[in-house]
């Protein structure tokens, strides 16, 4: 058994280096144990990762790299092993990647799909609160992603809010942008952000006013915005009341829309 | 009347904008705020929904009216001159500030600004353009901007709107011309289409210029429109035909369908009831079939009821087509061309692409197809694979009962 210790749960480069060396030595997937950080087992010694002399470089299709880069972000403890298994098969026959009905390709695509959704939902549902710091303002957010996507997603926020100072805090880590440099920090807790932001009241006014009570479709809302996200989204406080009042508001609307006798 | 504060105005001017269905923030030119002075970015693909309201709709943009006062008297519209709703008006600066403060907190992708007509169409258009100008030039805002343009405004102003916006739209309002004449007497179908035609040219010119000079000035990348469904007696067949004509003639990105909602103090020429929400849904499905599934408008028309001209409400139009043209099935997933696969009810574009890709490697069995789709059970009567061939199932008289979805209650608030 060979043990590979990766530096972080989203350590794609570490996985790639190790996988390349293992594949060059022809180590079969079932002989490798992938570990992150110091979740230690001292049953086995670390693997030898020097590339053997004269080893052929392993060429893989670009869509394998794209898939692997995303799949490593998943919380599934099997991800590194599954990817190494697929790497070995792709090395033998690159066409495996085209076979989207293949069980292993399928399983990894399901992981990638979950990552895409997680990344997308984070871009959508992060909410910043304004906080004065000296004579400047900083925008701070608390978010709980399902997977290890914080680092991979930071670039999006840099591009969008390049000229703003902001921090995104999560239980496992945090990122901070000062207008020039992105820094990483430790995990935080939800109480580390300001308690409120006066703009939230105005946002709630908007949320309540743009809602059309005559077309209640809560199923569609919940599918796209599951309740687990609600606690960090100020507007969701209003939902229960909006639903309860909807039928009454519609009846009143119909009453008022009748031409006067 | 007491003076309205910010929240008071927002309440009125968001409420008045909610009948507009178009809210997407897709199809912009990809850009971000690096190297600039302000904030904002757009993705080239689909936009982001930052929240959802209990009506199931996505909030992507701050969708408001500059004012809900209007000199026109369109019957279906809550803002029409003769309606006695409370009126409000934002200044351009108020809209700019509101947009920026929402954007900074990551509530929105940008702004969708529309307006009732005040003073004159030109004056109104100037005010709308001023908001966009200030966001872009004073604040270097690089988020999404969608402007509703007014067909009767000076073409120069409409062109200016295109320079600052990612998307412009002009509503055709009603699917039929008699409907428009009756319900929006001050509007004219030829003027609306004339303005759409000009916008198409401007968008194409700028695409062309960008292809040749990288630094050609930016311009909106698309236009869209909206039709109100159920306010006049246009049938689904009329609506689909009109939409096809608009896509074709004006290169529209999207046609939005908005089920007519009862509005307060409606005029007597309007129906009292909203059409079933399912109708709007079926129209969107028909629209998708034309845009992504190689259905022609005639194909869709053939699924409508010959007498009423309506799409079936109990099954979706793709299934309706398959049940009517059973001779096209079963389709062999290992051999059939893409167009034939796209016709199979229950196979989406992703699944079809998966099948095309996988069958280059090996012949597909039923379990393979099962891994590529949500539910293989519904496909059974319509496909052939390596180890599956339906037993003339497509001839069965009760086929519809076998594959049609059970009616579901849409409106339950499940946890
Ligand atoms: S012009 Fe627009 S705002 Fe005015 S009444 Fe007609 S639809 Fe309503």
């Amino acid at each position: 058994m060979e043990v590979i210790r990766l530096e972080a749960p989203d350590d794609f480069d570490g996985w790639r280096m190790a996988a390349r060396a293992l594949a060059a030595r022809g180590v079969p997937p079932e002989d490798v144990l992938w570990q992150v950080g110091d979740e230690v087992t001292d049953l086995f010694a670390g693997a030898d990762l020097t590339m053997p002399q004269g080893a052929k470089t392993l060429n893989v299709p670009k869509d394998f790299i794209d898939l692997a880069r995303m799949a490593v972000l998943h919380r599934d403890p099997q991800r590194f092993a599954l990817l190494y298994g697929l790497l070995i098969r792709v090395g033998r026959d690159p066409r495996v990647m085209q076979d989207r009905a293949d069980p292993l390709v399928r399983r990894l695509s399901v992981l990638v799909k979950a990552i895409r959704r997680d990344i997308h939902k984070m871009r959508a549902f992060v909410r910043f609160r304004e906080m004065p710091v000296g004579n400047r303002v900083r925008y701070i957010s608390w978010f709980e992603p399902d997977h290890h996507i914080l680092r991979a997603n930071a670039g999006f926020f840099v591009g969008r809010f390049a000229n703003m100072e902001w921090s995104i805090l999560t239980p496992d880590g945090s990122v901070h942008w000062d207008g020039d440099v992105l820094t990483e920090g430790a995990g935080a807790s939800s109480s580390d952000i300001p308690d409120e932001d006066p703009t939230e009241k105005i946002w709630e006014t908007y949320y309540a006013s743009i809602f059309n009570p005559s077309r209640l479709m809560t199923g569609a809302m919940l599918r796209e915005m599951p309740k687990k996200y609600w606690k960090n989204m100020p507007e969701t406080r209003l939902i229960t009341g909006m639903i309860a009042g909807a039928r009454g508001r519609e009846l009143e609307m119909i009453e008022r829309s009748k031409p006067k006798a | 009347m007491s003076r309205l504060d910010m929240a008071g105005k927002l309440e009125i001017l968001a409420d008045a904008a909610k009948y507009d269905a178009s809210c997407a923030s897709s199809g912009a030119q990809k850009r971000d705020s690096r190297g600039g002075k302000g904030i904002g970015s757009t993705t080239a693909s689909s936009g982001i929904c930052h929240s959802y309201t209990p009506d199931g709709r996505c909030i992507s943009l701050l969708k408001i009216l500059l004012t809900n006062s209007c000199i026109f008297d369109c019957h279906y519209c809550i803002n029409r001159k003769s309606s006695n709703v409370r009126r409000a008006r934002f200044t351009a600066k108020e809209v700019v500030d509101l947009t920026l403060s929402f954007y900074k907190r990551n509530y929105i992708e940008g702004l969708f600004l529309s307006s009732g007509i005040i003073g004159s169409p030109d004056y109104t258009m100037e005010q709308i353009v001023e908001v966009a100008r200030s966001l872009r030039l004073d604040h270097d805002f690089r988020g999404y901007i969608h402007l509703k343009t007014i067909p009767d405004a000076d073409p120069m102003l409409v062109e200016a709107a295109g320079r600052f916006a990612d998307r412009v739209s002009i509503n055709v309002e009603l699917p039929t011309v008699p409907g428009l004449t009756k319900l929006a007497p001050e509007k004219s179908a030829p003027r609306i289409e004339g303005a759409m035609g000009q916008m198409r040219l401007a968008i194409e010119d700028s695409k062309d210029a960008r292809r040749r000079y990288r630094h050609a000035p930016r311009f909106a990348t698309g236009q869209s429109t909206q039709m109100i469904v159920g306010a006049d007696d246009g049938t689904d067949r009329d609506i689909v035909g009109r939409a096809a004509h608009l896509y074709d003639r004006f290169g529209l990105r999207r046609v939005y369908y908005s089920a007519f909602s009862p509005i307060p103090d409606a005029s007597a020429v309007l129906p009292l009831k909203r059409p079933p929400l399912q109708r709007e849904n079926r129209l969107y499905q028909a629209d998708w079939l034309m845009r992504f599934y190689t259905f022609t408008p005639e194909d869709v028309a053939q699924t409508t009821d010959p007498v009423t001209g309506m799409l079936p409400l109990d099954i979706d139009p793709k299934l309706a087509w398959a049940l009517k043209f059973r001779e096209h099935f079963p389709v062999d997933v290992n051999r059939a061309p893409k167009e034939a696969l796209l016709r199979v009810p229950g196979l989406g574009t992703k699944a079809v692409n998966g099948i095309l890709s996988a069958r280059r490697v090996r012949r597909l069995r039923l379990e393979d197809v099962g891994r590529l789709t949500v539910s293989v059970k519904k496909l059974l009567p319509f496909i052939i694979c390596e180890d599956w061939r339906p037993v003339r199932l497509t001839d069965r008289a009760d086929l519809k009962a076998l594959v049609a979805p059970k009616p579901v209650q849409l409106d339950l608030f499940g946890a």
Side-chain angles (χ1 to χ4, degrees):
Chain A
M1 186 62 72
E2 312 232 13
V3 180
I4 306 295
R5 200 151 288 148
L6 298 169
E7 258 172 41
D10 59 350
D11 185 5
F12 172 73
D13 291 328
W15 174 82
R16 176 157 66 174
M17 298 277 285
R20 207 169 47 181
L22 293 166
R25 285 185 12 240
V27 181
E30 56 278 15
D31 290 353
V32 189
L33 193 62
W34 298 89
Q35 293 193 333
V36 175
D38 12 87
E39 0 162 315
V40 213
T41 28
D42 7 57
L43 286 178
F44 310 101
D48 171 16
L49 292 184
T50 45
M51 289 293 277
Q53 284 284 312
K56 276 193 296 171
T57 48
L58 188 61
N59 285 320
V60 295
K62 186 178 169 298
D63 45 354
F64 174 78
I65 299 293
D66 295 343
L67 177 130
R69 215 181 265 286
M70 291 295 254
V72 295
L73 307 181
H74 204 281
R75 267 192 210 283
D76 186 337
Q78 294 289 317
R79 63 193 181 283
F80 296 112
L82 293 171
L83 282 169
Y84 182 62
L86 184 60
L87 175 73
I88 297 296
R89 284 182 55 201
V90 165
R92 280 192 222 121
D93 179 5
R95 291 188 318 163
V96 175
M97 287 307 291
Q98 285 178 39
D99 186 358
R100 295 198 212 156
D102 177 273
L104 182 55
V105 174
R106 188 72 203 151
R107 169 133 188 230
L108 282 160
S109 322
V110 170
L111 299 192
V112 169
K113 203 172 155 199
I115 294 302
R116 289 231 166 83
R117 184 175 161 98
D118 203 29
I119 284 180
H120 187 82
K121 292 300 180 195
M122 178 174 168
R123 293 174 181 184
F125 298 153
V126 152
R127 294 287 185 265
F128 287 113
R129 283 186 175 150
E130 196 181 68
M131 185 171 97
V133 182
N135 53 0
R136 315 149 75 91
V137 287
R138 189 162 194 97
Y139 291 85
I140 305 198
S141 169
W142 165 252
F143 193 75
E144 292 162 73
D146 288 341
H147 303 286
H148 306 291
I149 58 166
L150 178 64
R151 204 173 289 141
N153 219 3
F156 170 84
F157 291 94
V158 170
R160 176 154 289 195
F161 302 110
N163 298 290
M164 210 168 91
E165 294 172 35
W166 53 263
S167 299
I168 300 175
L169 315 181
T170 80
D172 298 328
S174 54
V175 287
H176 312 271
W177 174 254
D178 67 358
D180 278 314
V181 185
L182 186 74
T183 43
E184 289 177 14
S189 98
S190 60
S191 57
D192 294 334
I193 64 165
D195 288 337
E196 53 177 15
D197 180 325
T199 302
E200 288 177 359
K201 270 269 151 297
I202 305 177
W203 169 239
E204 286 169 25
T205 302
Y206 177 70
Y207 183 78
S209 312
I210 202 70
F211 161 62
N212 188 344
S214 71
R215 19 183 320 151
L216 212 50
M217 289 227 246
T218 46
M221 170 186 71
L222 285 166
R223 219 171 13 260
E224 295 300 336
M225 192 172 77
K227 280 188 174 168
K228 66 175 177 192
Y229 295 111
W230 289 19
K231 60 180 184 296
N232 301 319
M233 301 169 74
E235 67 274 23
T236 57
R237 288 191 273 252
L238 305 177
I239 290 177
T240 315
M242 284 160 78
I243 293 170
R247 187 67 194 144
R249 276 177 68 190
E250 191 194 1
L251 289 177
E252 182 200 312
M253 206 55 124
I254 292 174
E255 205 43 53
R256 284 180 60 194
S257 69
K258 289 194 179 128
K260 296 175 188 71
Chain B
M1 207 189 321
S2 61
R3 257 180 66 95
L4 287 161
D5 63 0
M6 186 66 198
K9 288 186 190 180
L10 182 60
E11 205 175 311
I12 294 171
L13 295 170
D15 186 83
K18 75 181 169 206
Y19 301 99
D20 209 304
S22 44
C23 173
S25 55
S26 53
Q29 208 133 44
K30 192 170 157 58
R31 58 170 185 265
D32 65 28
S33 49
R34 276 177 263 229
K37 292 190 182 64
I39 50 170
S41 64
T42 50
T43 47
S45 55
S46 60
I48 298 171
C49 292
H50 287 274
S51 194
Y52 291 81
T53 37
D55 50 18
R57 284 182 169 177
C58 144
I59 300 185
S60 184
L61 303 171
L62 169 62
K63 179 163 66 171
I64 47 173
L65 264 53
L66 198 55
T67 174
N68 65 337
S69 299
C70 191
I71 56 175
F72 280 17
D73 208 34
C74 310
H75 289 282
Y76 50 83
C77 178
I78 189 171
N79 308 320
R80 70 189 190 286
K81 189 170 58 185
S82 58
S83 155
N84 63 13
V85 291
R86 185 153 190 204
R87 310 286 174 170
R89 179 177 176 179
F90 276 133
T91 63
K93 182 169 182 312
E94 283 170 329
V95 177
V96 168
D97 292 346
L98 191 61
T99 306
L100 293 172
S101 75
F102 278 9
Y103 199 94
K104 283 181 184 162
R105 289 162 180 79
N106 204 40
Y107 301 159
I108 52 170
E109 290 292 286
L111 173 68
F112 176 12
L113 186 63
S114 158
S115 182
I117 300 171
I118 36 166
S120 67
D122 279 355
Y123 173 75
T124 311
M125 199 64 226
E126 264 168 38
Q127 297 298 306
I128 291 176
V129 170
E130 169 54 20
V131 171
R133 186 210 60 76
S134 173
L135 278 170
R136 292 286 193 235
L137 303 186
D138 301 341
H139 299 277
D140 193 16
F141 175 67
R142 300 187 185 176
Y144 197 90
I145 299 181
H146 178 160
L147 298 178
K148 181 68 60 69
T149 60
I150 297 168
D152 301 301
D154 185 337
M156 297 284 285
L157 287 166
V158 177
E159 142 96 34
R163 276 204 308 277
F164 298 122
D166 296 286
R167 170 76 59 92
V168 289
S169 60
I170 303 168
N171 285 355
V172 295
E173 311 289 11
L174 293 153
T176 67
V177 175
L180 188 73
T181 317
K182 182 170 160 214
L183 297 179
E186 290 112 330
K187 293 193 175 173
S188 122
R191 283 206 307 271
I192 292 172
E193 294 210 358
M196 287 172 128
Q198 274 172 14
M199 190 48 78
R200 176 185 195 157
L201 287 179
I203 290 171
E204 281 171 1
D205 280 355
S206 91
K207 273 205 190 110
D208 202 47
R210 269 188 169 262
R211 224 170 283 131
R212 277 176 287 156
Y213 329 98
R214 216 159 54 83
H215 296 292
R218 60 174 309 285
F219 199 83
T221 51
Q223 64 172 327
S224 57
T225 194
Q226 167 173 291
M227 272 185 233
I228 300 165
V229 173
D232 67 355
D233 42 24
T235 65
D236 290 347
R237 207 185 300 134
D238 296 333
I239 292 172
V240 167
R242 185 79 194 279
H245 159 84
L246 294 169
Y247 278 123
D248 195 50
R249 179 132 179 245
F250 304 112
L252 297 187
R253 284 295 180 90
R254 280 297 295 276
V255 174
Y256 290 91
Y257 307 95
S258 172
F260 163 73
S261 274
I263 50 166
D265 306 305
S267 85
V269 295
L270 281 177
L272 274 180
K273 271 182 57 184
R274 64 177 192 208
L277 284 182
Q278 189 62 284
R279 185 176 173 200
E280 186 186 291
N281 191 17
R282 295 292 179 231
L283 284 166
Y284 275 116
Q285 288 171 331
D287 195 89
W288 273 75
L289 292 181
M290 294 195 290
R291 291 189 306 142
F292 303 110
Y293 287 81
T294 72
F295 278 64
T296 63
E298 292 71 39
D299 290 334
V300 175
Q302 274 169 326
T303 68
T304 59
D305 184 286
V307 180
T308 62
M310 295 304 213
L311 292 164
L313 289 177
D314 58 341
I315 52 173
D316 68 79
K318 195 177 176 192
L319 181 57
W321 189 88
L323 290 175
K324 189 157 176 195
F325 298 98
R326 296 182 189 191
E327 65 277 16
H328 292 269
F329 302 94
V331 168
D332 185 340
V333 297
N334 283 301
R335 286 202 194 84
K338 184 171 184 179
E339 303 75 66
L341 289 170
L342 285 172
R343 296 269 160 160
V344 175
L347 277 189
T349 48
K350 270 209 190 109
V352 167
N353 288 334
I355 288 173
L356 293 172
S357 177
R359 78 184 190 187
R360 265 179 248 135
V361 184
R362 64 199 169 80
R363 299 185 59 79
L364 302 180
R365 309 173 68 83
L366 203 53
E367 56 171 8
D368 294 318
V369 178
R371 270 183 229 112
L372 292 167
T373 55
V374 187
S375 147
V376 76
K377 220 173 113 212
K378 291 202 177 119
L379 301 176
L380 291 179
F382 300 105
I383 58 167
I384 294 175
C385 19
E386 192 64 4
D387 57 347
W388 169 257
R389 177 177 290 273
V391 196
R392 308 217 316 145
L393 204 50
T394 47
D395 294 338
R396 284 174 59 161
D398 60 350
L399 180 57
K400 179 170 167 185
L402 279 177
V403 292
K406 307 278 169 295
V408 283
Q409 174 95 34
L410 277 175
D411 294 350
L412 269 185
F413 182 53

